[in-house]
Amino acid sequence: MTQKCLYLLCATLMACPPLVAQSSSPAVPPVQNVQTAPITIQQAVDRALTGNPSLAAAREHLSAVHATMLTAKARQNPSLTLLGQGVTLPEINNNGGNPYYYSANVSRLFERGQKRRWRMEGAADTADVTESQLHDQERQLVLNVRQAFTNMLAAKAALGIAEENLADYRKTLDLSKAQLDAGAITRTDYERIDLQLAQFEADDDAARLNMQQTSAQLQQLFGVDHPSPTFDVTGTLEPPPLTLTMADAENRALAARPDYQAAKQSLLLSQANARFAIASGTADPTVASEYERSGADNTFGVSVQIPLRIFDRNQGEKERTRYEVDSSRFAVTAARNQVVSDVDQAWLALNTAQRQAVRYNTHYLAEAGRVRDNLQFSYRNGNSTLLDYLDALRDYRSIHLSSLNANVQVWLAIHQLSYATATDIIP
């Protein structure tokens, strides 16, 4: 196997780029990574949900949206107008001036058509949609953390494989040096063996770099500004047994997916906006009462002002919101179809990954190990050729990495199915 192929195999274990980016001006202070003990996948999820700055910003936005409900339920304020006249010009035919004049006017607009009710309902529906969108962002973050955690476990295991192969090959090289010194092999054969060491060293360097990069990607999801080089994780890559059926997964998703809930809540919001548009076409009277004092005379009066909705009856908003309601209904259907499609695709990917992992774990890995051990023993005792031994080493390294990658793909498929159902499918 060429060095390029090995790099491609290692590249399959690289972490996916994080979808939740750290803000340049985080709403929460950067997390200082002082943890030294390895953490589990659940601890990693908890740390991300607590410290991720993008998620903290979304929570603050939800609080801001909830604050708009206070504005929506506010009633119309009355208006007070005070007027006083104390300095006037004298009349032409009268030596005295006009009498002092005072007035006080109190008016208030009264909304009709239950505008306040529909305005409050629209604000509440907006808050519900925003909250569901926050839950969907949390769901995306959990997926990113689980993927990054699994990729770091895979990188850690791949580094172990690379170190094991390198140490084992160095033993072979030491034995070959002893054979060279004893005259059992030629210098050309020894140098061919020594040249292969560069590939094992390159594999070890690539695996170590992959480990450092996946660690940094996972720590970034925690809100850490400077990743710790001592950060470590613990867990297993052995595929777990699952008893969930596809129908169960679809039902879970339809009940729990926040994006589907947001689509249904958006329909309610559109309906509330449509009712508010109809209510806004009604005329709102303004009732006023006024007290006047002119000289020694006191007067009191009441007035009612009613706008005549002859031309503008809010026709445009009524029409627009009616189409918005129809659009939201189609969006709910599209969201439901997307949920079912996501679950089905994730289910098929999981089944495929499980079959591949079973083949490698129950057959190919053990077989490759036996072939390597036999040819290693045979070569060291002079019963097989150098080429046969090197081919066995390449095959074992390739099968070992492929087996590890198959297990990783099972876990990534499990995380994807958990994301598609918005639930934890591992019992």
Side-chain angles (χ1 to χ4, degrees):
M1 177 177 292
T2 64
Q3 184 173 351
K4 181 178 179 182
C5 293
L6 288 174
Y7 284 156
L8 292 175
L9 285 172
C10 292
T12 61
L13 305 176
M14 292 291 287
C16 298
L19 299 179
V20 181
Q22 182 171 333
S23 173
S24 58
S25 299
V28 294
V31 177
Q32 298 298 325
N33 194 346
V34 296
Q35 166 268 339
T36 56
I39 66 173
T40 64
I41 188 170
Q42 187 56 49
Q43 290 173 330
V45 170
D46 294 340
R47 285 191 60 181
L49 292 176
T50 302
N52 186 270
S54 297
L55 193 59
R59 291 193 182 106
E60 292 301 316
H61 175 65
L62 176 61
S63 299
V65 172
H66 277 294
T68 62
M69 298 174 63
L70 299 175
T71 303
K73 69 178 182 180
R75 299 180 183 274
Q76 295 292 329
N77 290 321
S79 298
L80 173 64
T81 304
L82 299 176
L83 177 64
Q85 294 179 351
V87 180
T88 58
L89 297 175
E91 297 181 4
I92 298 177
N93 298 325
N94 190 343
N95 293 330
N98 291 333
Y100 287 99
Y101 173 81
Y102 307 97
S103 69
N105 180 285
V106 178
S107 63
R108 182 177 182 274
L109 183 142
F110 290 87
E111 292 183 318
R112 298 175 61 246
Q114 302 185 79
K115 294 185 180 66
R116 179 171 174 267
R117 173 186 174 184
W118 306 131
R119 189 166 56 243
M120 291 171 58
E121 185 174 317
D125 291 337
T126 300
D128 290 340
V129 171
T130 305
E131 186 171 1
S132 294
Q133 291 172 344
L134 171 62
H135 294 327
D136 198 48
Q137 187 171 343
E138 291 175 347
R139 181 174 68 106
Q140 182 66 60
L141 177 61
V142 170
L143 173 64
N144 293 339
V145 171
R146 288 172 173 171
Q147 288 178 334
F149 186 94
T150 300
N151 283 316
M152 185 175 177
L153 275 182
K156 186 176 178 181
L159 178 58
I161 294 173
E163 291 177 341
E164 177 188 356
N165 290 337
L166 179 59
D168 188 67
Y169 194 79
R170 279 175 175 163
K171 294 178 182 178
T172 300
L173 187 61
D174 292 340
L175 178 61
S176 299
K177 182 65 169 58
Q179 291 175 335
L180 174 65
D181 295 339
I185 63 174
T186 65
R187 176 162 293 277
T188 300
D189 288 339
Y190 172 77
E191 289 179 348
R192 292 177 65 185
I193 298 174
D194 185 58
L195 287 175
Q196 292 296 319
L197 181 63
Q199 185 172 342
F200 285 94
E201 291 173 337
D203 291 346
D204 185 76
D205 291 338
R208 195 172 304 279
L209 175 61
N210 188 23
M211 174 70 177
Q212 294 169 349
Q213 290 177 334
T214 55
S215 174
Q217 290 168 355
L218 178 58
Q219 292 180 72
Q220 183 190 20
L221 297 175
F222 300 158
V224 175
D225 55 348
H226 291 87
S228 171
T230 61
F231 175 76
D232 196 10
V233 296
T234 181
T236 178
L237 289 175
E238 291 296 325
L242 296 176
T243 59
L244 189 69
T245 65
M246 181 184 290
D248 293 337
E250 291 176 354
N251 292 333
R252 284 191 184 188
L254 292 174
R257 277 279 289 264
D259 54 340
Y260 182 47
Q261 300 302 320
K264 293 190 291 186
Q265 291 160 348
S266 295
L267 174 59
L268 297 178
L269 174 60
S270 298
Q271 293 171 339
N273 290 336
R275 289 190 288 265
F276 181 75
I278 295 174
S280 296
T282 60
D284 297 331
T286 301
V287 179
S289 62
E290 185 175 47
Y291 165 77
E292 296 180 357
R293 180 178 178 84
S294 179
D297 298 328
N298 298 311
T299 58
F300 178 80
V302 177
S303 65
V304 178
Q305 179 181 354
I306 302 177
L308 301 179
R309 307 296 296 265
I310 298 176
F311 304 108
D312 180 12
R313 298 185 299 276
N314 208 36
Q315 302 97 318
E317 282 299 295
K318 291 177 183 177
E319 191 74 2
R320 182 188 68 81
T321 54
R322 182 175 67 84
Y323 286 116
E324 289 292 341
V325 170
D326 294 337
S327 174
S328 297
R329 287 198 180 97
F330 288 117
V332 171
T333 302
R336 188 184 189 282
N337 294 341
Q338 185 65 53
V339 168
V340 175
S341 176
D342 290 346
V343 172
D344 293 350
Q345 292 183 49
W347 184 267
L348 294 174
L350 176 58
N351 284 342
T352 301
Q354 286 177 324
R355 289 196 301 269
Q356 291 178 350
V358 168
R359 286 199 299 267
Y360 278 105
N361 295 332
T362 60
H363 179 65
Y364 296 121
L365 182 59
E367 187 175 55
R370 289 193 302 270
V371 171
R372 181 203 62 174
D373 294 341
N374 293 337
L375 285 175
Q376 183 183 70
F377 178 82
S378 178
Y379 171 71
R380 289 178 179 177
N381 288 276
N383 296 323
S384 64
T385 65
L386 173 63
L387 292 178
D388 290 338
Y389 173 54
L390 293 179
D391 287 341
L393 285 179
R394 295 189 189 99
D395 291 342
Y396 175 75
R397 185 168 61 251
S398 174
I399 293 297
H400 205 166
L401 288 174
S402 297
S403 175
L404 173 62
N405 186 53
N407 290 342
V408 170
Q409 292 305 316
V410 171
W411 276 102
L412 293 179
I414 289 174
H415 299 329
Q416 190 66 40
L417 185 57
S418 296
Y419 172 75
T421 61
T423 59
D424 292 330
I425 65 171
I426 300 178

